[in-house]
Amino acid sequence: MKSFGKHDITLMAGYENYVMKKEELTAGRDQYELTQYPYLNIGPEDYMANSGTGSEYTSNSVFGRAIYSYADRYLFQANIRYDGSSRFASQYRWGTFPSFSAGWVVSEEKFMKNANIDWLSFLKLRTSWGMLGNERIGDNYFPYMALMTFNNALFYKDGAVVSEKTAAQRNLAVEDITWETTTSTDIGVDLGFLNNRLRVTADYYWKKTKDMLLSIEIPYSMGYANPKNNAGKMSTTGFDLEISWNDRINDFSYGISANLSDFKSKIDYLRNSDIISDGKVKRAGVLFNEWYGYVCEGIYQTQEEIDATPHLPGTKPGDLIYQDTNGDKSITWDDAIRIDKSTTPKWIFGLTLNGAWKGIDLNVFFQGQADAEQLVMPAMNMPTDFYEGRWIETNTAEENASAKWPRAFMKAAAVDNRNSLSSTWWLRDASFVRLKSVELGYTFPNLMVKKLGLEKLRIYANGNNLFTIDSMGIFDPEMTAGIKGYPIQRTLTFGVNVTF
């Protein structure tokens, strides 16, 4: 850093070399006769297994930054990165990603000071532009290489079953795959009013992502998994707004801060065709990762209802009723539609309250989201509500008419997976307001603490995730992995902070 007069300049340059190399070796035996001696050499060789694998990855980065400030009034920053990744072929391996930002503290200008605008304490205008690269496509995936996968398979040979080593190319090599690049532009303003007791920060931004790294569907007959490729473009627009008020009345100080964010991402271009996976669709012209599936109209109660409507083969009472959206008198995947919602909320908001009085301090934080839908299809560790509230053949007609869930089914079995197909039945409104945290503390007076030979003494009680207002009930609306993830826990903490 160098200063001369009102000028401040800071320069920084760096280099990063990251190497990851991992090797694994596993071995095991089963069907032990001496169970109290659990060592490999005593296990039967007929139940012996071992395996080994390895992976490696390398990235290099050269980067630099220049910061300039004049009288803390005119601000400018420039950054550049030159990144290389071993995930890509040598001629597509490197990417250059610059960024710039500028700020103007208008309230420090002489004409503003001469204007005597008492209620305006601070005014700063900001803008920025930058590029960011992404190459995250999996730890052991190098798409430009025709890698072989080795395994063991059982063959019938000369009247006996033998194990032979097998090898196959599982991934289609794509040599010209390269970095996904997002270009972002932001304009913002920082405002302070009434001696900065009231502060406002607002940003509006737009992003353009090109060369999106997506899995492109290829015919099953090729025998490969769907390869990653630079297959799309996406645009994102949004805003962030934060308003806060802080003040003091005698011994009582308090503050309130609220924030609101809104954004939407739309696919502008997609190579080849739609990408439909895990009940979500990527399609040019619509929002990113919207839900896709059947429109569900309820649960079949009787065989007569099934016979009177189009249905999937093998449908039984207790199964879901799917709408024949295209009117061809049959239920096929052609009846699936884009549902116009996703797990990504349109609105994200928060509220923070704090206060302090004569050593007592209180902090409260609320957070929430709106306009999102979550998938609640049964999975491992599912709530008992799926079991107790399901349609059951032995129930009375009245009980089944009020069932919250279809009959029990084998989700992974092709012969009984009709109820596990993506549909509106399993989607729930994921809007919520949550009391995220509350902390109440007390800091003992200095005179008392000094007598104990201490510098500072504070006791506190803290609670996290104390309650949530939502319509999902038995599910956590923030679980983006459906109900397969571990739910958020409610925690209570009591503690003491001591400074010697």
Side-chain angles (χ1 to χ4, degrees), residues 53 57 120 173 197 200 239 249 300 324 330 388 402 417 484:
T53 185
Y57 162 75
L120 182 62
R197 288 178 295 173
V200 178
F239 72 82
I249 303 175
Y300 282 115
D324 180 19
S330 64
E388 297 171 349
S402 61
N417 67 346
K484 292 181 289 186

Side-chain angles (χ1 to χ4, degrees), residues 99-374:
S99 64
F100 308 93
S101 63
W104 178 24
V105 185
V106 184
S107 55
E108 290 299 310
E109 295 287 357
K110 184 179 295 186
F111 68 84
M112 288 292 292
K113 295 181 181 296
N114 293 336
N116 292 321
I117 307 176
D118 296 336
W119 51 268
L120 182 62
S121 310
F122 183 79
L123 171 58
K124 179 181 179 181
L125 304 178
R126 297 177 282 104
T127 186
S128 63
W129 177 93
M131 297 177 65
L132 183 66
N134 171 39
E135 46 87 56
R136 297 188 295 270
I137 52 177
D139 291 338
N140 298 316
Y141 183 39
F142 298 86
Y144 69 95
M145 294 183 179
L147 297 177
M148 302 297 291
T149 299
F150 296 94
N151 211 326
N152 291 300
L154 297 177
F155 295 92
Y156 190 73
K157 184 178 181 181
D158 297 330
V161 176
V162 295
S163 176
E164 297 285 355
K165 180 65 65 178
T166 62
Q169 181 183 340
R170 301 297 301 274
N171 294 302
L172 179 66
V174 182
E175 183 180 8
D176 59 352
I177 189 172
T178 189
W179 289 83
E180 174 183 297
T181 304
T182 298
T183 303
S184 305
T185 306
D186 179 282
I187 47 179
V189 59
D190 299 325
L191 294 164
F193 304 95
L194 306 176
N195 292 324
N196 286 321
R197 288 178 295 173
L198 175 63
R199 301 189 70 92
V200 178
T201 298
D203 286 88
Y204 178 78
Y205 59 87
W206 59 97
K207 302 178 182 180
K208 291 287 186 179
T209 302
K210 66 177 184 178
D211 297 327
M212 292 176 65
L213 293 169
L214 300 172
S215 296
I216 296 299
E217 293 189 2
I218 59 176
Y220 291 117
S221 58
M222 295 183 68
Y224 301 117
N226 292 333
K228 295 282 188 180
N229 210 330
N230 298 114
K233 298 179 181 179
M234 182 172 67
S235 59
T236 300
T237 58
F239 72 82
D240 298 317
L241 176 65
E242 182 176 358
I243 302 175
S244 63
W245 173 269
N246 292 278
D247 201 2
R248 172 180 288 274
I249 303 175
N250 298 323
D251 292 331
F252 177 63
S253 62
Y254 67 97
I256 179 172
S257 176
N259 62 78
L260 175 68
S261 297
D262 167 46
F263 76 95
K264 60 180 180 180
S265 297
K266 185 181 72 172
I267 298 289
D268 298 319
Y269 163 79
L270 196 63
R271 183 183 297 181
N272 296 337
S273 62
D274 298 347
I275 299 175
I276 301 174
S277 176
D278 297 326
K280 300 176 183 178
V281 61
K282 298 178 181 68
R283 173 183 293 173
V286 303
L287 297 183
F288 180 75
N289 264 358
E290 290 185 322
W291 290 111
Y292 192 87
Y294 291 109
V295 176
C296 188
E297 298 180 327
I299 300 175
Y300 282 115
Q301 300 297 324
T302 65
Q303 185 62 44
E304 289 73 21
E305 290 182 357
I306 298 173
D307 296 337
T309 59
H311 55 271
L312 292 171
T315 297
K316 304 175 182 178
D319 285 344
L320 297 177
I321 306 172
Y322 297 129
Q323 185 182 97
D324 180 19
T325 57
N326 62 6
D328 65 355
K329 305 301 182 183
S330 64
I331 301 297
T332 66
W333 192 238
D334 292 335
D335 292 303
I337 64 170
R338 180 175 60 89
I339 300 173
D340 198 28
K341 295 287 184 180
S342 75
T343 56
T344 303
K346 178 176 174 58
W347 304 99
I348 301 174
F349 49 87
L351 177 67
T352 301
L353 307 172
N354 63 79
W357 179 75
K358 294 185 176 181
I360 301 173
D361 60 270
L362 175 67
N363 289 274
V364 181
F365 174 50
F366 291 90
Q367 68 169 156
Q369 66 182 33
D371 201 7
E373 289 197 347
Q374 184 59 268

Side-chain angles (χ1 to χ4, degrees), residues 329-490:
K329 305 301 182 183
S330 64
I331 301 297
T332 66
W333 192 238
D334 292 335
D335 292 303
I337 64 170
R338 180 175 60 89
I339 300 173
D340 198 28
K341 295 287 184 180
S342 75
T343 56
T344 303
K346 178 176 174 58
W347 304 99
I348 301 174
F349 49 87
L351 177 67
T352 301
L353 307 172
N354 63 79
W357 179 75
K358 294 185 176 181
I360 301 173
D361 60 270
L362 175 67
N363 289 274
V364 181
F365 174 50
F366 291 90
Q367 68 169 156
Q369 66 182 33
D371 201 7
E373 289 197 347
Q374 184 59 268
L375 186 73
V376 298
M377 192 178 297
M380 294 183 298
N381 303 321
M382 57 184 156
T384 56
D385 191 71
F386 278 127
Y387 178 80
E388 297 171 349
R390 76 190 193 280
W391 190 99
I392 303 175
E393 188 175 3
T394 56
N395 280 352
T396 65
E398 291 75 16
E399 289 173 329
N400 279 335
S402 61
K404 294 191 290 183
W405 310 105
R407 67 176 179 84
F409 57 94
M410 297 179 64
K411 182 177 179 182
V415 297
D416 194 26
N417 67 346
R418 291 172 295 278
N419 294 326
S420 65
L421 300 175
S422 176
S423 75
T424 55
W425 177 270
W426 302 110
L427 293 178
R428 297 291 185 272
D429 182 8
S431 303
F432 73 91
V433 175
R434 170 174 285 143
L435 179 54
K436 188 64 178 178
S437 66
V438 176
E439 181 165 305
L440 177 65
Y442 177 70
T443 302
F444 290 87
N446 285 335
L447 184 60
M448 179 186 302
V449 172
K450 296 295 183 181
K451 291 180 178 180
L452 299 175
L454 303 175
E455 290 291 327
K456 186 177 181 180
L457 177 62
R458 178 178 180 267
I459 58 175
Y460 66 91
N462 177 280
N464 289 312
N465 306 309
L466 296 182
F467 71 81
T468 302
I469 302 173
D470 69 294
S471 61
M472 294 185 70
I474 59 174
F475 310 103
D476 182 357
E478 282 192 287
M479 292 174 63
T480 56
I483 62 170
K484 292 181 289 186
Y486 199 79
I488 292 178
Q489 293 180 309
R490 179 182 296 116

Side-chain angles (χ1 to χ4, degrees), residues 33-47:
E33 294 183 5
L34 301 177
T35 57
Q36 294 182 345
Y37 191 73
Y39 299 101
L40 291 177
N41 66 331
I42 200 65
E45 294 185 2
D46 291 341
Y47 297 95

